Amino acid sequence: MVRTPLTPSERARGERLGALLRQARGPRSMVEVAAAAGLSAETLRKIETGRAPTPAFFTVAALAAALDLSLTDLAAACAEPDGDRALTA
């Protein structure tokens, strides 16, 4: 299976997601948050650094729960500044 390359907009959205998760994690370790979400620390590292810009919905939901973030707020924060709401569709 060949995956369609991501657009610059999709990559930027992934970077915004990663930055938001890093900020929400605060002083908690990556290992601690990943374990609370049922993920590996490497998966969380890839998401936070933008190397995995399109994580699966259930991965994002697990991280949101572990970090006490609303999925609605998370989606709004990751939307493009010009109003793109692709994450909430």
Side-chain angles (χ1 to χ4, degrees):
M1 180 170 128
V2 176
R3 183 172 179 175
T4 305
L6 297 175
T7 65
S9 175
E10 290 168 326
R11 289 198 178 280
R13 187 175 57 215
E15 290 171 5
R16 286 190 300 276
L17 172 64
L20 182 67
L21 293 174
R22 271 192 312 278
Q23 180 182 7
R25 183 166 53 84
R28 294 172 67 187
S29 76
M30 192 175 285
V31 172
E32 178 185 349
V33 171
L39 309 170
S40 71
E42 183 59 22
T43 297
L44 179 54
R45 182 182 337 279
K46 286 179 181 178
I47 294 168
E48 284 190 358
T49 60
R51 289 189 349 227
T54 58
F57 171 78
F58 291 105
T59 298
V60 174
L63 285 167
L67 295 168
D68 198 28
L69 295 171
S70 155
L71 284 174
T72 301
D73 293 343
L74 185 61
C78 292
E80 285 191 44
D82 67 0
D84 176 31
R85 299 304 240 164
L87 272 180
T88 60

